[in-house]
Amino acid sequence: MSSYQQPAHGNLATEVRVGRQAGGGPAHPSGGRRGARRKEHGGKSFRPDIEGLRAVAVLLVLAFHAAPKYVSGGFVGVDVFFVISGFLITSLLVHEIARTGRLSLAGFYARRAKRLLPAACLTLLAAAALTYLYLPVTQRSTFGGDIVAAAAYFVNWRLADRSVDYLAADILPSPVQHFWSLAVEEQFYLIWPVLIVLALWLAPKVRWSLSRMLGVVIALVAGASLAYSVIHTALSPEAAFFVTPTRLWELAVGAIIALAAPHLAVFGRGAGAAFATVGLLMILGGGYFLDGTFAWPGSWALLPTLGAAAVLAGGINGPSGAGNLLALRPLVWVGGISYSLYLWHWPLLVAAQAEWGDGTKVSALAVLVSVVPAWLSHKLVENPIRFSAALAKPFKAVWAVGLPFTALAVACGLLLTTLSSGAEDGGGPVAGAAALNGMSAQQQADLWKVNSSPTVKPDPLKALADVPEAYGKGCQANQDTTNVSSCDFGDTTASTVVVMAGDSKMLQWQPALDTIGKAHGIHVVTVTKSTCAFADTTAVLNDKPYKSCVEWNRKAMAKILALHPALVLTSQNAAVALPDASASGPGDVPPMRGGMERTWTQLQKAGIPVTVVLNNVNGVPSPVYECVANHRSKLSECSFGSPDYRTADLQTDLAKALGAGVIDLNPMICPGGHCPAVIGSALIYRDGSHVTATYVRTLAPALQEQLEREFARNKIAWK
């Protein structure tokens, strides 16, 4: 917000009165002048350089989204926003205490509701409409859930969870993905006044001044959050980017500047000019020199965060130095609509890229066009409601603005989810792979030419949810952990144990192996980790060493050796690895082959036979289920030829060299070397090249036949 507003007084239950501090006088966390240069909105303090700083922040974000090649570090604009928010909100709260001797929580939350919710709700409604009109039908349900989460301001946690979900790899950027930062701020707004209330209550009890108590509280929050940010970013950068604890320190830095304002004022305008100039250079330097290779936020986020803090500190006595540039009228105007501009640019950008491609020209045009709805929203929705005299009372503002607007956005997201939920899977099981029985080789090879199916199961709109039962039980270790997560299937009382070891390409066979195990007295144990091959090598993830995979492999081997199963079934998607932990890049085949050989040989020397289930394909041209959803009467459009069997070829070659067994179901997935989208009314693929649980179940007879052969080869009794 650009001004400090008068407090709205509620009843005693929603106010905190400030008593006298030791030494007399009212509690006063930060005295001194506010550093305002001019007045606006009825005499409230206004700093044009802060509006200009907002403009720099939003322009960096917009440039990054429109042309990341040229503004590779524009994401630092969000960090700048966090510092500004921490500064302004803390200033508002402590000045209210200084003026009135009390803190009205109801008044604070009412102002937040009037300021943020109307424009946000309007954007969410537009995002729902754009999703329905332009984005893939298979993604509507997911994005409807995102809209609900954005309206309730917890979408950052939803996105964090999705960022480390290997099964969500096909999901496009959400049209409300940018709401993650707004969710962080809203969560800050919930806890920050409460912390100040606690400081108000605690300060006189320990005979501290309020300013000292607040300083200690904020410093503790900032220190703990920064430490967590550095650690969590190193361990899981994808999730760390979104979650609130890794960002609180940036807001706390702004709060520290607000509390330190009286002390900073003594430095004078000369020092202020230096602060502002250096701070702006730090921000712009980060926007230009940083890029996606820097794990974020982590320690590198100190650059734009401290830069923003320096600009804020430099303007305490009024804009000077670079602050004068920030106070220029064009930047002040952009800063004034920065909230609406941030809201509108991303849904329009996502829709434009879905319709016309993600080229720089399309992206830049979409961002430029977003200025129009942003200005209209600011002029016709945001400001009229924000400054409405009829909504001056806190509870009236909450009931007339907060709840209705939030409920409307939630309802819109739920409606989008409902309209896109897909048909119920009814009518019993489908033939699936059984449809191949009795067909000639040529008939099987021509299946890709079939254009229609009386039914398709699962419905393409539900394909992403058609996963093995093991996922719902938490059987697969995620990318962050090194712990082995295992589950039991089949006949769990049987003495014959078969271990499934590898990544999700091994785990996809769990439904069929569960059926086989129950019928033939086999205890099936899963030992799998997301995107992690069962191999003694330096796995690669995003062109970097996949360290947790290396440690997981060590623990997985120890667990399997302790179990000493009758047979280990293994599979994987990756065909490449890095030569050692100091290397980076896409990886190569020899390190992966060497790692697989060491792992298989170690098991064989321990008297545990190994059988590899050949990887079906390494990838598909595009999400097959999405194509089927859009071409239900022309399924041949969704088939593909020349399947990529890099990993299967590697597995076959190594199995031959080591005398390991081979199970090959690829002829029933891509008969004749061409891969249909549907066989026997069963949809073949869910996310990426993973086979749907529905089709896997229909492959159980074929898998059983080959598994029985492997039992016989290794002299294991078959029941």
Side-chain angles (χ1 to χ4, degrees):
M1 58 185 294
S2 60
S3 58
Y4 303 123
Q5 301 188 35
Q6 297 296 325
H9 303 298
N11 56 37
L12 291 175
T14 59
E15 291 180 354
V16 178
R17 296 184 179 273
V18 185
R20 299 273 173 176
Q21 301 297 308
H28 198 303
S30 59
R33 53 191 171 187
R34 299 184 192 174
R37 296 294 294 166
R38 63 185 177 90
K39 305 291 182 180
E40 184 173 287
H41 301 318
K44 304 175 186 101
S45 300
F46 177 82
R47 277 183 54 178
D49 60 320
I50 293 182
E51 291 293 69
L53 185 58
R54 273 195 174 125
V56 170
V58 78
L59 290 174
L60 281 171
V61 172
L62 267 59
F64 172 65
H65 288 158
K69 179 180 178 181
Y70 303 103
V71 191
S72 59
F75 51 83
V76 304
V78 174
D79 304 89
V80 175
F81 275 128
F82 285 150
V83 179
I84 296 173
S85 293
F87 174 80
L88 290 174
I89 292 303
T90 304
S91 297
L92 182 151
L93 293 171
V94 297
H95 281 304
E96 179 177 345
I97 295 169
R99 289 194 309 268
T100 68
R102 64 183 63 154
L103 177 59
S104 172
L105 296 181
F108 172 78
Y109 292 125
R111 288 192 296 271
R112 295 298 86 208
K114 289 193 297 179
R115 170 72 171 91
L116 302 174
L117 295 183
C121 176
L122 183 62
T123 306
L124 291 175
L125 296 180
L130 291 170
T131 297
Y132 190 81
L133 293 172
Y134 295 107
L135 299 184
V137 63
T138 55
Q139 314 248 337
R140 290 177 187 168
S141 180
T142 297
F143 294 158
D146 290 348
I147 290 171
V148 172
Y153 289 102
F154 64 86
V155 71
N156 62 315
W157 294 99
R158 178 176 168 94
L159 293 173
D161 183 62
R162 187 186 301 164
S163 71
V164 294
D165 183 1
Y166 182 58
L167 299 180
D170 281 350
I171 297 177
L172 297 174
S174 172
V176 294
Q177 180 167 298
H178 61 317
F179 267 76
W180 77 266
S181 63
L182 303 178
V184 169
E185 289 197 19
E186 282 299 311
Q187 291 158 33
F188 169 77
Y189 297 154
L190 286 176
I191 65 174
W192 208 244
V194 175
L195 286 178
I196 292 179
V197 166
L198 290 175
L200 287 171
W201 174 80
L202 189 59
K205 295 185 179 299
V206 297
R207 301 184 67 81
W208 281 11
S209 68
L210 181 56
S211 59
R212 181 183 182 187
M213 179 59 69
L214 285 175
V216 170
V217 169
I218 294 173
L220 288 174
V221 170
S225 173
L226 177 58
Y228 180 79
S229 178
V230 172
I231 295 170
H232 194 42
T233 300
L235 295 176
S236 181
E238 295 83 5
F241 186 87
F242 294 108
V243 297
T244 306
T246 63
R247 300 289 186 163
L248 277 179
W249 68 273
E250 297 177 304
L251 292 134
V253 166
I256 290 171
I257 299 300
L259 289 178
H263 308 289
L264 293 169
V266 303
F267 286 103
R269 293 174 62 82
F275 285 155
T277 302
V278 172
L280 184 59
L281 289 175
M282 291 171 68
I283 294 169
L284 295 178
Y288 183 78
F289 291 108
L290 297 174
D291 57 34
T293 63
F294 291 82
W296 206 261
S299 57
W300 276 103
L302 285 164
L303 181 65
T305 300
L306 296 181
V311 173
L312 294 173
I316 293 296
N317 291 314
S320 58
N324 287 324
L325 295 176
L326 296 174
L328 292 174
R329 193 174 296 273
L331 286 178
V332 171
W333 183 83
V334 174
I337 66 167
S338 60
Y339 175 57
S340 290
L341 194 55
Y342 182 81
L343 287 175
W344 280 96
H345 86 282
W346 183 252
L348 291 175
L349 179 64
V350 170
Q353 290 179 343
E355 185 70 10
W356 296 295
D358 58 358
T360 300
K361 291 181 179 179
V362 170
S363 301
L365 183 60
V367 167
L368 287 174
V369 168
S370 69
V371 175
V372 176
W375 181 81
L376 291 173
S377 173
H378 177 75
K379 193 79 172 177
L380 303 178
V381 177
E382 185 180 335
N383 276 349
I385 294 176
R386 180 183 175 191
F387 300 115
S388 171
L391 298 173
K393 293 184 178 181
F395 287 104
K396 190 171 185 179
V398 171
W399 284 103
V401 177
L403 294 179
F405 277 102
T406 300
L408 180 59
V410 168
C412 194
L414 292 175
L415 178 62
L416 182 63
T417 300
T418 302
L419 293 175
S420 312
S421 59
E424 291 296 325
D425 292 329
V430 292
L436 299 171
N437 297 337
M439 286 187 181
S440 67
Q442 187 59 51
Q443 288 174 321
Q444 291 183 10
D446 289 340
L447 274 177
W448 70 271
K449 299 177 182 178
V450 176
N451 278 319
S452 62
S453 175
T455 184
V456 175
K457 185 175 181 179
D459 187 287
L461 301 186
K462 295 182 176 180
L464 290 175
D466 195 44
V467 299
E469 177 189 359
Y471 284 103
K473 292 185 174 182
C475 302
Q476 175 152 282
N478 62 35
Q479 293 178 356
D480 295 337
T481 187
T482 63
N483 295 326
V484 176
S485 301
S486 63
C487 292
D488 303 289
F489 295 96
D491 183 353
T492 59
T493 65
S495 58
T496 302
V497 177
V498 170
V499 167
M500 301 172 61
D503 60 11
S504 56
K505 283 302 197 70
M506 184 66 246
L507 195 61
Q508 71 181 356
W509 301 109
Q510 175 261 313
L513 287 168
D514 182 45
T515 299
I516 296 168
K518 288 175 178 175
H520 297 280
I522 302 171
H523 181 183
V524 179
V525 178
T526 63
V527 181
T528 63
K529 177 176 169 65
S530 178
T531 64
C532 179
F534 184 47
D536 180 16
T537 188
T538 303
V540 59
L541 183 65
N542 299 325
D543 289 346
K544 296 179 181 179
Y546 188 3
K547 296 179 181 179
S548 66
C549 178
V550 175
E551 177 63 16
W552 176 88
N553 260 281
R554 185 185 65 79
K555 293 179 179 179
M557 176 60 77
K559 180 177 181 65
I560 294 171
L561 290 175
L563 282 173
H564 205 279
L567 178 69
V568 168
L569 297 176
T570 185
S571 192
Q572 67 201 58
N573 191 62
V576 296
L578 295 171
D580 55 64
S582 64
S584 62
D588 204 354
V589 173
M592 176 58 78
R593 180 190 170 98
M596 293 166 63
E597 182 174 355
R598 285 188 290 274
T599 294
W600 294 10
T601 300
Q602 184 176 357
L603 291 173
Q604 290 173 329
K605 287 181 177 179
I608 303 172
V610 177
T611 292
V612 62
V613 182
L614 298 186
N615 186 40
N616 50 309
V617 290
N618 280 75
V620 298
S622 61
V624 173
Y625 60 88
E626 188 176 299
C627 178
V628 172
N630 293 312
H631 299 86
R632 292 177 186 262
S633 60
K634 200 168 184 181
L635 297 176
S636 60
E637 293 285 334
C638 308
S639 65
F640 60 95
S642 304
D644 181 354
Y645 286 139
R646 280 175 299 166
T647 301
D649 291 342
L650 170 62
Q651 291 167 328
T652 301
D653 184 58
L654 184 60
K656 182 178 180 181
L658 298 182
V662 174
I663 291 178
D664 184 8
L665 298 169
N666 286 330
M668 306 188 77
I669 299 173
C670 296
H674 210 108
C675 307
V678 176
I679 294 178
S681 295
L683 182 67
I684 306 299
Y685 300 100
R686 42 183 175 91
D687 66 308
S689 58
H690 293 91
V691 180
T692 63
T694 296
Y695 193 65
V696 165
R697 291 187 187 96
T698 71
L699 285 168
L703 178 56
Q704 177 179 316
E705 180 182 344
Q706 296 192 45
L707 184 61
E708 186 174 357
R709 181 199 64 208
E710 288 301 305
F711 268 49
R713 190 176 71 87
N714 291 291
K715 298 180 174 56
I716 306 170
W718 182 268
K719 298 179 182 178

